[in-house]
Amino acid sequence: MYTAAVEDYLKVVYELTREEGRATTTGIADRLGVAPASVSGMFKKLVEMRLIEHTPYQGVVLTSAGQKIALEVIRHHRLVELYLAEALGIPWDKVHAEANRLEHAISSDVADRMAAALGNPLSDPHGAPIPDKDGAIAPVASRRLSDLQPGDVGRVAEVIDEDAALLRSLASIGLFPNVTVQVLERDTGSGELMLRIGEGDHAVSSREASRIFVHEPERKN
Ligand SMILES: [Zn+2]
């Protein structure tokens, strides 16, 4: 068994690789709220444990053993989030912090039972795919809302769940996974987008839009 700290590092390496393209000391320090020196110390341990490979100035990548653990923690995290949201009615901006603690506490048997109780769901409340118990995970959307141009229509796939204030502001304008949004305007200076969501028009900053992934456009024949 691994400590919660080891599990957190592996999870964050996995997430940052996806979100930022790489996992660096500073990126991990920011995400975990620790000093860069602590991250360097943990990198050494994780390299010795053969869970990551570290290239100085480039960042780290997970080994296959590291990835297996990361995906198990992510499975727990996302199932806990969905369970809290669906079974207990906890809002989507509150489930992430709870899941960050509970993900380490539940056994894989409890995670499997949560999955069964929820009908073996494919994604969490923020639209992120839930790995199955063998560590298989569905491909994630890579197109960001911030890449869309005026006139484009996109269906929301996933919202990065780290920022509770962002989730509250998106909830207030009705922006959730599976909702379709249309870009009406884009400010060429700030990158702010004016979106039509349902009947309403709402502004979203470029930073917010970069935290939102949309499905690839459907092919029109
Ligand atoms: Zn989360």
Side-chain angles (χ1 to χ4, degrees), residues 161-217:
D161 64 1
E162 285 297 317
D163 181 348
L166 169 64
L167 295 177
R168 281 192 294 277
S169 104
L170 296 179
S172 75
I173 63 172
L175 193 153
F176 295 105
N178 290 317
V179 165
T180 297
V181 303
Q182 183 187 5
V183 178
L184 300 175
E185 277 174 58
R186 183 192 176 99
D187 186 291
T188 45
S190 67
E192 182 181 83
L193 298 178
M194 184 60 75
L195 301 177
R196 175 150 300 163
I197 303 170
E199 306 284 292
D201 297 349
H202 306 279
V204 169
S205 75
S206 73
R207 185 192 157 275
E208 291 172 334
S210 72
R211 313 296 285 163
I212 299 164
F213 292 90
V214 293
H215 290 287
E216 289 300 323

Coordinates of all heavy atoms in Angstrom, one line a residue, residues 161-217:
D161 N -11.9 20.5 -12.5 CA -12.7 20.7 -11.2 C -11.9 21.3 -10.0 O -12.4 21.3 -8.9 CB -13.3 19.4 -10.8 CG -12.2 18.3 -10.4 OD1 -11.0 18.6 -10.5 OD2 -12.6 17.2 -10.1
E162 N -10.7 21.8 -10.3 CA -9.8 22.3 -9.2 C -10.4 23.6 -8.6 O -10.1 23.8 -7.4 CB -8.4 22.6 -9.8 CG -7.6 21.4 -10.0 CD -7.3 20.6 -8.8 OE1 -7.0 21.2 -7.7 OE2 -7.4 19.4 -8.8
D163 N -11.1 24.4 -9.3 CA -11.4 25.7 -8.9 C -12.9 25.8 -8.6 O -13.8 25.9 -9.5 CB -11.0 26.7 -10.0 CG -11.3 28.2 -9.7 OD1 -12.0 28.4 -8.7 OD2 -10.9 29.0 -10.4
A164 N -13.2 25.8 -7.3 CA -14.6 25.7 -6.8 C -15.4 27.0 -7.3 O -16.6 26.9 -7.6 CB -14.7 25.5 -5.3
A165 N -14.7 28.1 -7.2 CA -15.4 29.4 -7.6 C -15.8 29.4 -9.1 O -16.9 29.8 -9.5 CB -14.5 30.6 -7.3
L166 N -14.9 28.8 -9.9 CA -15.2 28.6 -11.3 C -16.5 27.7 -11.5 O -17.4 28.1 -12.3 CB -14.0 28.1 -12.1 CG -14.3 27.6 -13.6 CD1 -14.7 28.8 -14.4 CD2 -13.1 26.9 -14.2
L167 N -16.5 26.6 -10.8 CA -17.6 25.7 -10.9 C -18.9 26.4 -10.5 O -20.0 26.2 -11.1 CB -17.4 24.4 -10.1 CG -16.2 23.6 -10.5 CD1 -16.1 22.4 -9.6 CD2 -16.4 23.1 -11.9
R168 N -18.9 27.2 -9.4 CA -20.1 27.9 -9.0 C -20.5 28.9 -10.0 O -21.7 29.1 -10.4 CB -19.8 28.7 -7.7 CG -19.9 27.8 -6.5 CD -19.9 28.6 -5.2 NE -18.7 29.3 -4.9 CZ -17.6 28.8 -4.4 NH1 -17.6 27.5 -4.0 NH2 -16.5 29.5 -4.2
S169 N -19.5 29.6 -10.6 CA -19.9 30.6 -11.6 C -20.5 30.0 -12.9 O -21.4 30.4 -13.5 CB -18.8 31.6 -11.9 OG -18.2 31.4 -13.1
L170 N -19.9 28.8 -13.3 CA -20.5 28.1 -14.4 C -21.9 27.5 -14.1 O -22.7 27.6 -15.0 CB -19.5 27.0 -14.9 CG -18.1 27.4 -15.3 CD1 -17.3 26.2 -15.7 CD2 -18.2 28.4 -16.5
A171 N -22.1 27.0 -12.9 CA -23.4 26.6 -12.6 C -24.4 27.7 -12.7 O -25.6 27.5 -13.1 CB -23.4 26.0 -11.1
S172 N -24.0 28.9 -12.3 CA -25.0 30.0 -12.3 C -25.4 30.4 -13.7 O -26.4 31.1 -13.9 CB -24.4 31.2 -11.5 OG -23.4 31.8 -12.3
I173 N -24.6 30.1 -14.7 CA -25.0 30.4 -16.1 C -25.4 29.1 -16.8 O -25.7 29.1 -18.0 CB -23.8 31.1 -16.9 CG1 -22.6 30.2 -17.0 CG2 -23.5 32.4 -16.2 CD1 -21.5 30.8 -17.9
G174 N -25.6 28.0 -16.1 CA -26.1 26.8 -16.7 C -25.1 26.0 -17.5 O -25.5 25.3 -18.4
L175 N -23.8 26.2 -17.3 CA -22.8 25.5 -18.1 C -22.4 24.3 -17.4 O -21.7 24.3 -16.4 CB -21.7 26.5 -18.4 CG -20.7 26.0 -19.5 CD1 -20.0 27.1 -20.2 CD2 -19.7 25.0 -19.0
F176 N -22.8 23.1 -17.9 CA -22.5 21.8 -17.3 C -22.1 20.9 -18.5 O -22.3 21.2 -19.6 CB -23.7 21.2 -16.6 CG -24.2 22.0 -15.4 CD1 -25.3 22.8 -15.5 CD2 -23.5 21.9 -14.2 CE1 -25.7 23.5 -14.4 CE2 -23.9 22.6 -13.1 CZ -25.1 23.4 -13.2
P177 N -21.5 19.7 -18.1 CA -21.3 18.7 -19.2 C -22.5 18.4 -20.0 O -23.6 18.4 -19.4 CB -20.7 17.5 -18.4 CG -20.1 18.1 -17.2 CD -20.9 19.3 -16.8
N178 N -22.4 18.2 -21.2 CA -23.5 17.8 -22.2 C -24.3 19.0 -22.6 O -25.2 18.9 -23.4 CB -24.4 16.7 -21.6 CG -23.6 15.4 -21.7 OD1 -22.9 15.1 -22.6 ND2 -23.7 14.7 -20.6
V179 N -24.1 20.2 -22.0 CA -24.8 21.4 -22.5 C -24.1 21.9 -23.7 O -22.9 21.9 -23.8 CB -24.8 22.5 -21.3 CG1 -25.2 23.8 -21.9 CG2 -25.7 22.0 -20.2
T180 N -24.9 22.4 -24.7 CA -24.4 22.9 -25.9 C -24.3 24.5 -25.8 O -25.2 25.1 -25.3 CB -25.3 22.5 -27.1 OG1 -25.3 21.1 -27.2 CG2 -24.8 23.1 -28.4
V181 N -23.1 25.0 -26.2 CA -22.9 26.4 -26.1 C -22.6 26.9 -27.5 O -21.9 26.2 -28.3 CB -21.8 26.8 -25.1 CG1 -22.1 26.3 -23.7 CG2 -20.5 26.3 -25.5
Q182 N -23.0 28.2 -27.8 CA -22.6 28.8 -29.1 C -21.8 30.0 -28.8 O -22.1 30.8 -27.9 CB -23.9 29.2 -29.8 CG -23.5 29.7 -31.2 CD -24.7 30.3 -32.0 OE1 -25.8 30.3 -31.4 NE2 -24.5 30.7 -33.2
V183 N -20.7 30.2 -29.5 CA -19.8 31.4 -29.3 C -20.4 32.5 -30.2 O -20.5 32.3 -31.4 CB -18.4 31.1 -29.7 CG1 -17.5 32.3 -29.6 CG2 -17.8 30.0 -28.9
L184 N -20.8 33.6 -29.5 CA -21.4 34.7 -30.3 C -20.3 35.7 -30.7 O -20.3 36.2 -31.8 CB -22.5 35.4 -29.4 CG -23.6 34.6 -28.9 CD1 -24.5 35.4 -28.0 CD2 -24.5 34.1 -30.1
E185 N -19.4 36.0 -29.7 CA -18.4 36.9 -30.0 C -17.2 36.5 -29.2 O -17.2 35.8 -28.2 CB -18.8 38.3 -29.4 CG -19.7 39.1 -30.3 CD -20.1 40.4 -29.5 OE1 -19.2 41.1 -29.0 OE2 -21.3 40.6 -29.3
R186 N -16.0 37.0 -29.7 CA -14.8 36.8 -29.0 C -14.0 38.1 -29.0 O -13.8 38.7 -30.1 CB -14.0 35.7 -29.8 CG -12.8 35.3 -29.2 CD -12.0 34.5 -30.2 NE -10.7 34.2 -29.6 CZ -10.4 33.0 -29.0 NH1 -11.3 32.1 -29.0 NH2 -9.3 32.8 -28.5
D187 N -13.7 38.6 -27.8 CA -12.9 39.8 -27.7 C -11.5 39.6 -28.1 O -10.8 38.7 -27.5 CB -12.9 40.3 -26.2 CG -12.3 41.7 -26.1 OD1 -11.0 41.8 -26.2 OD2 -13.0 42.7 -25.9
T188 N -11.0 40.3 -29.2 CA -9.7 39.9 -29.7 C -8.6 40.3 -28.7 O -7.5 39.7 -28.8 CB -9.4 40.7 -31.1 OG1 -9.8 42.0 -30.9 CG2 -10.2 40.0 -32.2
G189 N -8.8 41.3 -27.9 CA -7.8 41.6 -26.9 C -7.7 40.7 -25.7 O -6.7 40.0 -25.5
S190 N -8.8 40.6 -24.9 CA -8.8 39.8 -23.7 C -9.1 38.3 -24.0 O -8.8 37.5 -23.1 CB -9.9 40.3 -22.8 OG -11.2 40.1 -23.3
G191 N -9.7 38.0 -25.1 CA -10.0 36.6 -25.4 C -11.4 36.2 -24.7 O -11.8 35.1 -24.8
E192 N -12.0 37.2 -24.0 CA -13.3 36.9 -23.4 C -14.3 36.4 -24.5 O -14.4 37.0 -25.6 CB -13.9 38.1 -22.7 CG -15.2 37.9 -22.0 CD -15.7 39.2 -21.3 OE1 -16.3 40.0 -22.0 OE2 -15.4 39.3 -20.1
L193 N -15.1 35.4 -24.1 CA -16.1 34.9 -25.1 C -17.5 35.3 -24.6 O -17.8 35.2 -23.4 CB -16.0 33.4 -25.1 CG -14.8 32.7 -25.6 CD1 -14.9 31.2 -25.5 CD2 -14.4 33.1 -27.0
M194 N -18.3 35.6 -25.5 CA -19.8 35.8 -25.2 C -20.4 34.5 -25.7 O -20.3 34.2 -26.9 CB -20.3 37.1 -25.9 CG -21.8 37.3 -25.6 SD -22.0 37.6 -23.8 CE -21.4 39.2 -23.6
L195 N -21.1 33.8 -24.8 CA -21.7 32.5 -25.2 C -23.2 32.6 -25.1 O -23.8 33.3 -24.2 CB -21.2 31.5 -24.1 CG -19.8 31.2 -24.0 CD1 -19.6 30.2 -22.9 CD2 -19.2 30.7 -25.3
R196 N -23.8 31.9 -26.0 CA -25.3 31.6 -25.8 C -25.5 30.2 -25.2 O -25.0 29.2 -25.8 CB -26.0 31.8 -27.2 CG -27.5 31.4 -27.0 CD -28.4 32.1 -28.0 NE -28.3 33.6 -27.8 CZ -28.7 34.5 -28.7 NH1 -29.2 34.1 -29.8 NH2 -28.6 35.8 -28.5
I197 N -26.1 30.2 -24.1 CA -26.4 28.9 -23.4 C -27.9 28.9 -23.2 O -28.4 29.7 -22.4 CB -25.6 28.8 -22.1 CG1 -24.1 29.0 -22.3 CG2 -25.9 27.5 -21.4 CD1 -23.4 29.2 -21.0
G198 N -28.6 28.0 -23.8 CA -30.0 28.0 -23.8 C -30.6 29.3 -24.3 O -30.2 29.7 -25.4
E199 N -31.3 30.0 -23.5 CA -31.9 31.3 -24.0 C -31.0 32.5 -23.6 O -31.3 33.6 -24.0 CB -33.3 31.5 -23.3 CG -34.3 30.4 -23.6 CD -34.8 30.4 -25.0 OE1 -35.6 31.3 -25.3 OE2 -34.4 29.4 -25.7
G200 N -30.0 32.3 -22.8 CA -29.3 33.4 -22.2 C -27.9 33.6 -22.8 O -27.3 32.7 -23.4
D201 N -27.4 34.9 -22.8 CA -26.1 35.2 -23.2 C -25.2 35.5 -22.0 O -25.6 36.2 -21.1 CB -26.1 36.4 -24.2 CG -26.9 36.1 -25.4 OD1 -27.2 34.9 -25.7 OD2 -27.2 37.1 -26.2
H202 N -24.0 34.9 -22.0 CA -23.1 35.0 -20.8 C -21.7 35.2 -21.3 O -21.3 34.5 -22.2 CB -23.3 33.8 -19.9 CG -24.7 33.4 -19.5 ND1 -25.3 34.1 -18.5 CD2 -25.5 32.6 -20.0 CE1 -26.5 33.6 -18.4 NE2 -26.7 32.7 -19.3
A203 N -21.0 36.0 -20.5 CA -19.5 36.2 -20.8 C -18.7 35.2 -20.0 O -19.0 35.0 -18.8 CB -19.1 37.7 -20.5
V204 N -17.7 34.7 -20.6 CA -16.8 33.8 -19.9 C -15.4 34.3 -20.3 O -15.0 34.5 -21.5 CB -17.0 32.3 -20.4 CG1 -15.9 31.4 -19.9 CG2 -18.3 31.8 -19.9
S205 N -14.5 34.4 -19.3 CA -13.1 34.9 -19.5 C -12.3 33.8 -20.3 O -12.7 32.6 -20.3 CB -12.4 35.3 -18.2 OG -12.1 34.1 -17.6
S206 N -11.2 34.3 -20.9 CA -10.4 33.3 -21.6 C -9.8 32.2 -20.7 O -9.7 31.1 -21.0 CB -9.3 34.0 -22.5 OG -8.3 34.4 -21.6
R207 N -9.5 32.7 -19.5 CA -8.9 31.7 -18.5 C -10.0 30.6 -18.2 O -9.7 29.5 -18.1 CB -8.5 32.4 -17.2 CG -7.8 31.5 -16.2 CD -7.6 32.1 -14.8 NE -7.5 31.0 -13.9 CZ -8.5 30.4 -13.3 NH1 -9.8 30.8 -13.6 NH2 -8.3 29.5 -12.4
E208 N -11.2 31.1 -17.9 CA -12.3 30.2 -17.6 C -12.5 29.2 -18.8 O -12.7 28.0 -18.6 CB -13.6 30.9 -17.3 CG -13.5 31.7 -16.0 CD -14.7 32.6 -15.7 OE1 -15.3 33.0 -16.7 OE2 -15.0 32.8 -14.5
A209 N -12.6 29.8 -20.0 CA -12.8 29.0 -21.2 C -11.8 28.0 -21.4 O -12.0 26.9 -22.0 CB -13.0 29.9 -22.4
S210 N -10.5 28.3 -21.0 CA -9.4 27.3 -21.2 C -9.5 26.1 -20.2 O -8.9 25.1 -20.4 CB -8.1 28.0 -21.0 OG -7.8 28.3 -19.7
R211 N -10.4 26.2 -19.2 CA -10.6 25.1 -18.2 C -11.8 24.2 -18.7 O -12.2 23.3 -17.9 CB -10.9 25.7 -16.8 CG -10.0 26.8 -16.4 CD -8.5 26.3 -16.2 NE -8.3 25.5 -15.0 CZ -7.3 24.8 -14.8 NH1 -6.3 24.7 -15.8 NH2 -7.1 24.1 -13.7
I212 N -12.4 24.5 -19.8 CA -13.6 23.8 -20.2 C -13.2 23.1 -21.6 O -12.7 23.7 -22.5 CB -14.7 24.8 -20.5 CG1 -15.1 25.5 -19.2 CG2 -16.0 24.1 -21.0 CD1 -15.9 26.7 -19.3
F213 N -13.5 21.8 -21.6 CA -13.3 21.0 -22.8 C -14.6 20.7 -23.5 O -15.6 20.5 -22.9 CB -12.6 19.7 -22.5 CG -11.2 19.9 -22.0 CD1 -10.9 20.0 -20.6 CD2 -10.1 19.9 -22.9 CE1 -9.6 20.2 -20.1 CE2 -8.8 20.1 -22.4 CZ -8.5 20.3 -21.0
V214 N -14.6 20.7 -24.8 CA -15.8 20.5 -25.6 C -15.5 19.3 -26.5 O -14.4 19.0 -26.9 CB -16.2 21.7 -26.4 CG1 -16.7 22.8 -25.5 CG2 -15.1 22.2 -27.4
H215 N -16.6 18.6 -26.9 CA -16.5 17.4 -27.8 C -16.1 18.0 -29.2 O -16.4 19.1 -29.6 CB -17.8 16.7 -27.9 CG -18.2 16.0 -26.7 ND1 -17.6 14.8 -26.3 CD2 -19.1 16.2 -25.7 CE1 -18.1 14.4 -25.2 NE2 -19.0 15.2 -24.8
E216 N -15.4 17.1 -29.9 CA -15.1 17.4 -31.3 C -16.4 17.7 -32.1 O -17.4 17.0 -31.8 CB -14.4 16.3 -32.0 CG -12.9 16.1 -31.5 CD -12.1 17.4 -31.7 OE1 -12.2 18.0 -32.8 OE2 -11.3 17.7 -30.8
P217 N -16.5 18.6 -33.0 CA -17.7 18.9 -33.7 C -18.2 17.6 -34.5 O -17.3 16.8 -35.0 CB -17.4 20.0 -34.7 CG -15.9 20.1 -34.7 CD -15.3 19.4 -33.5

